[in-house]
Amino acid sequence: MWDFLIPLFAATVQSGTPILYATLGEMMTEKGGVLNLGVEGMMAVSALAAFWASYVTGSPWLGFLAGGCAGMVMASLHAFVCVSCLGNQVVSGLALTILGGGLTHFLGVPYVGLAAPGFDPFNFPLLSQIPVLGDIFFKHDMLVYVSFVIPVLFWFFFKRTSLGLHVAATGEMPAAAAAAGLKPIRLRYFAVIAGGFLVGLGGAYLSLAYTHLWTNGLSGGRGWIAVALVIFAFWRPGRAVAGAYLFGGVMAFQLRLQAAGTHLPSSLLLMLPYLLTILVLILSAWRGRRIDAPAALGTNIEPEG
Amino acid sequence: MLKIRKRDEPWKWGALVVFLGALLFSLVLSALLLKGQGKDAMYGMTVLWQGSFGNVWSLEDVLLKAIPLFLCSLGVAVAFRMQIWNIGAEGQFALGAIGATWMALAFPDLPRFVLLPLMFIMAFILGGIWALIPAVLKLKLRVNEIISTLMLNYIAILLLDYLVFGVWKDPASFGFPMTPEFTAGAIIPGIAGSRVHWGIVFCVVVGIGLWAFMRFTRLGFELKASGEGARVARYAKIRYGMLVLLVMALSGGFAGWAGCVETSAILNRLQPSLMVGYGYTAIVVAWLARLEPLNIAFASFLLAALRVGVENMQLKLQIPAAFGTIMEGIILLTVLAGQFFLTYKLVRKPRQE
């Protein structure tokens, strides 16, 4: 029993990690009042950017950074269209996903099948010695350990720093924030672009740690799952962790079932994460906690005059 | 210093200028992208143009691709009109294809005038049901339809895979995932021996039908009014929930029809290569056309031309088909940004200090 469960839980943490980065990124964006449905495309582009940078420089850390920066670049397009030009946030996000998917397939051609230096798992000193928990949480790659810290930072940022409080204020009532002397437009730019950086890190994880090979379609719907998880998590980082690992668990379980050669056709198994996403949305809607959404989410700030 | 000012009167040709500007901008950017990849950009653009409009063969191809795009976009636009974000045309398209194939495989010996209508009806029903699932979830549980329609796309494609790899697989296909070829009765014929098939006439009928429905019926009026928001609708004593169901069923049904036409007339069987992203391009088309049926016809034609042109580039410049998707993304983003100037203008701020 444990021989099956411990590797499964360990795999859960690994496949939940990119989703966790992306979910926190989208949560950051939405906290500022902007809905960004481009996560799927941003993850794809940043996975490629991370792979490329790591391939060229030989440094996976530079790759990780490049992934984050690619996410920021994509996010700034969204910010420009929605925050400055008052474009429709839903459609702009979709456009970003369309663009990102295209760019990744187009620019990724020369790298398909190549390998780049990535992050390898290692036993975290001391902590990996803990029975069971050590096996599950502390025998991964460096990026998993980084992802343990980020939800805490995220929480700290929104609860304890003035910048975080200001960002949340523009997500709730931009007009009131402006009246209080804040700069809602700048704060929204910040939320979208910082969120894009986190989403980009999630994309980078896919090509640097999840696989070290470049293949097309790495994001495989994870971006959309992240968008759904933000709702499921009621815009709270702690619940985002739970949600991301839930999906990581289903993905890992589904892979294991396939590898074990069950009689179920693989296409039906592959449906599991997508069915679960719908189920998760139903569950969070059923709990009826809409109030937790930033009040100004999805609405643009109209300029006066 | 520039200042933003709301326009007193709408900018007359604004929408067209923004649209053409976006087209031009995306052409320039993609030329640069080609250059960055070490290709001859000018040659690339010529190839793109020739591929789309160069000869009769390519024009026929454009029309063929415009048909499924038009039907999907019509569906997407009806839903968007009511501010229901149906992103699920891709999945509803797949379900339509599955419905049509189901009939074609179940009754191969029926004459065409019975079998084809059966296929269209089943395509509409299955596509419609696929869209009603998120509609019901939205109404009953306030589940966000953007994500549920999207997830259903992935599920639909996997369902299609499951069918063509499994129960519907042609035993004579040497292991390829595809159904047996349809019988003659299940295939939409070409018009007067050309490659363009009767689906195009079907499109015209559906387009005019929808336009008349929106314009002359009470339901159509209510639909437009509900686009102003659920609250306005309630004031106007409109049964908002019923309308949402109706609109989503229509929306999914149209996409289902597109799937039926494509399977029957183009592929003559069900196979995974059916899914080339018409459902996603439809979102671009609907938005470019500002959700108007006539504009949708025009925009479908243009984006179909882009696809055909890119196929030509694929052949002659050895670039992936994704190049077209990049252009679609750029066009959509630029139009979104440009629409700012339809309501606002920039004026020089008088120096006060």
Side-chain angles (χ1 to χ4, degrees):
Chain A
M1 188 65 184
W2 286 112
D3 293 346
F4 176 74
L5 280 184
I6 289 180
L8 177 67
F9 286 146
T12 293
V13 171
Q14 213 214 358
S15 52
T17 299
I19 302 177
L20 178 58
Y21 279 114
T23 307
L24 290 175
E26 176 66 10
M27 201 179 276
M28 170 76 94
T29 309
E30 290 192 14
K31 277 270 192 185
V34 180
L35 180 70
N36 185 353
L37 297 180
V39 184
E40 180 75 9
M42 289 158 69
M43 277 183 99
V45 168
S46 47
L48 178 63
F51 181 90
W52 172 81
S54 173
Y55 182 80
V56 170
T57 65
S59 156
W61 281 107
L62 279 179
F64 192 50
L65 201 66
C69 291
M72 278 167 67
V73 171
M74 294 285 282
S76 13
L77 287 179
H78 187 64
F80 176 71
V81 169
C82 298
V83 181
S84 292
C85 299
L86 311 176
N88 185 303
Q89 294 181 10
V90 174
V91 184
S92 170
L94 292 171
L96 215 57
T97 289
I98 293 173
L99 174 67
L103 274 177
T104 317
H105 276 93
F106 180 70
L107 298 175
V109 172
Y111 306 103
V112 173
L114 294 182
F119 293 89
D120 291 312
F122 68 95
N123 294 352
F124 201 89
L126 292 176
L127 290 174
S128 61
Q129 313 277 315
I130 308 170
V132 184
L133 287 184
D135 288 327
I136 295 174
F137 289 104
F138 294 103
K139 292 186 175 170
H140 291 288
D141 51 85
M142 203 52 208
L143 301 188
V144 172
Y145 305 135
V146 173
S147 80
F148 293 159
V149 189
I150 290 190
V152 181
L153 290 178
F154 188 98
W155 174 86
F156 184 82
F157 176 74
F158 279 105
K159 287 287 174 196
R160 293 282 182 272
T161 69
S162 60
L163 180 59
L165 291 170
H166 293 169
V167 168
T170 53
E172 292 294 338
M173 287 176 91
L182 302 179
K183 299 242 182 284
I185 304 276
R186 275 189 215 170
L187 287 166
R188 280 199 162 182
Y189 260 96
F190 173 80
V192 176
I193 293 174
F197 183 74
L198 283 177
V199 170
L201 296 185
Y205 189 86
L206 291 173
S207 60
L208 295 179
Y210 202 71
T211 69
H212 296 195
L213 282 174
W214 179 252
T215 48
N216 276 321
L218 263 182
S219 47
R222 286 180 180 82
W224 293 109
I225 290 171
V227 177
L229 277 183
V230 175
I231 302 173
F232 171 75
F234 305 135
W235 292 267
R236 286 187 210 143
R239 288 183 55 106
V241 178
Y245 287 159
L246 173 68
F247 273 91
V250 170
M251 285 180 166
F253 182 66
Q254 172 258 106
L255 275 179
R256 255 143 223 276
L257 268 188
Q258 274 191 56
T262 47
H263 293 297
L264 282 168
S266 65
S267 32
L268 293 186
L269 283 174
L270 285 169
M271 283 180 196
L272 282 178
Y274 308 118
L275 284 171
L276 181 70
T277 310
I278 297 179
L279 193 71
V280 148
L281 282 176
I282 292 176
L283 279 180
S284 31
W286 181 53
R287 292 270 312 273
R289 297 279 291 273
R290 286 271 138 168
I291 329 127
D292 294 313
L297 180 61
T299 49
N300 288 326
I301 305 172
E302 303 273 331
E304 321 109 73
Chain B
M1 211 16 214
L2 289 171
K3 196 174 164 19
I4 295 163
R5 178 74 52 75
K6 203 156 195 157
R7 283 180 190 277
D8 303 322
E9 54 200 78
W11 179 15
K12 213 170 166 196
W13 294 100
L16 190 66
V17 171
V18 167
F19 178 71
L20 293 177
L23 221 54
L24 191 71
F25 184 65
S26 89
L27 282 175
V28 172
L29 269 189
S30 27
L32 287 176
L33 208 58
L34 280 182
K35 228 179 166 76
Q37 292 284 56
K39 314 266 180 194
D40 184 345
M42 266 328 283
Y43 176 63
M45 291 298 122
T46 325
V47 168
L48 181 72
W49 175 262
Q50 281 174 347
S52 327
F53 305 110
N55 52 49
V56 183
W57 176 267
S58 51
L59 264 180
E60 275 184 339
D61 235 14
V62 172
L63 280 179
L64 287 178
K65 287 196 163 52
I67 293 170
L69 259 183
F70 175 76
L71 288 171
C72 285
S73 316
L74 221 50
V76 168
V78 172
F80 280 14
R81 265 237 145 142
M82 252 189 94
Q83 304 214 29
I84 300 169
W85 299 104
N86 176 16
I87 318 297
E90 187 79 357
Q92 293 141 19
F93 175 87
L95 261 285
I98 289 172
T101 306
W102 183 13
M103 292 297 105
L105 294 180
F107 309 107
D109 302 325
L110 285 179
R112 178 173 281 152
F113 69 94
V114 186
L115 183 51
L116 272 182
L118 261 183
M119 288 164 68
F120 271 87
I121 291 169
M122 192 47 82
F124 190 93
I125 292 177
L126 288 196
I129 287 179
W130 210 244
L132 278 175
I133 301 170
V136 170
L137 290 178
K138 177 185 168 73
L139 287 174
K140 292 284 163 201
L141 295 162
R142 310 178 102 211
V143 170
N144 185 318
E145 79 275 16
I146 299 173
I147 303 165
S148 58
T149 49
L150 235 147
M151 291 296 122
L152 286 170
N153 287 347
Y154 287 100
I155 296 172
I157 292 169
L158 288 165
L159 187 68
L160 196 153
D161 277 352
Y162 168 69
L163 289 170
V164 293
F165 274 101
V167 285
W168 283 355
K169 187 154 110 185
D170 180 7
S173 73
F174 303 104
F176 286 108
M178 48 169 72
T179 65
E181 194 165 3
F182 290 175
T183 50
I187 294 176
I188 301 172
I191 298 174
S194 76
R195 289 199 304 141
V196 179
H197 54 79
W198 285 95
I200 199 158
V201 177
F202 180 74
C203 282
V204 174
V205 173
V206 172
I208 294 176
L210 184 72
W211 172 79
F213 168 76
M214 296 289 281
R215 173 117 198 214
F216 299 117
T217 67
R218 184 174 160 77
L219 267 178
F221 165 77
E222 292 186 342
L223 201 153
K224 273 184 281 185
S226 308
E228 308 293 317
R231 216 170 40 196
V232 177
R234 230 165 281 139
Y235 277 123
K237 294 236 166 41
I238 289 168
R239 288 155 303 166
Y240 184 74
M242 276 305 294
L243 262 186
V244 170
L245 294 181
L246 173 80
V247 159
M248 280 299 271
L250 266 185
S251 186
F254 285 172
W257 274 342
C260 174
V261 170
E262 198 66 3
T263 326
S264 164
I266 305 292
L267 292 177
N268 304 339
R269 54 155 50 108
L270 191 64
Q271 60 188 78
S273 65
L274 173 75
M275 306 307 295
V276 290
Y278 285 128
Y280 294 112
T281 303
I283 300 167
V284 184
V285 171
W287 201 258
L288 290 186
R290 319 189 86 212
L291 314 182
E292 293 289 344
L294 191 65
N295 293 351
I296 290 177
F298 180 61
S300 313
F301 184 79
L302 263 184
L303 283 195
L306 180 65
R307 270 180 180 247
V308 177
V310 168
E311 274 177 14
N312 196 31
M313 290 173 83
Q314 224 179 320
L315 220 67
K316 298 213 169 118
L317 275 89
Q318 273 80 49
I319 54 159
F323 192 71
T325 324
I326 300 177
M327 293 183 69
E328 284 175 16
I330 298 174
I331 294 175
L332 190 49
L333 278 174
T334 322
V335 162
L336 278 170
Q339 279 171 348
F340 174 80
F341 295 102
L342 299 184
T343 24
Y344 297 95
K345 58 183 171 185
L346 296 175
V347 290
R348 208 181 292 273
K349 193 177 177 181
R351 215 176 280 264
Q352 280 166 346
E353 288 87 1

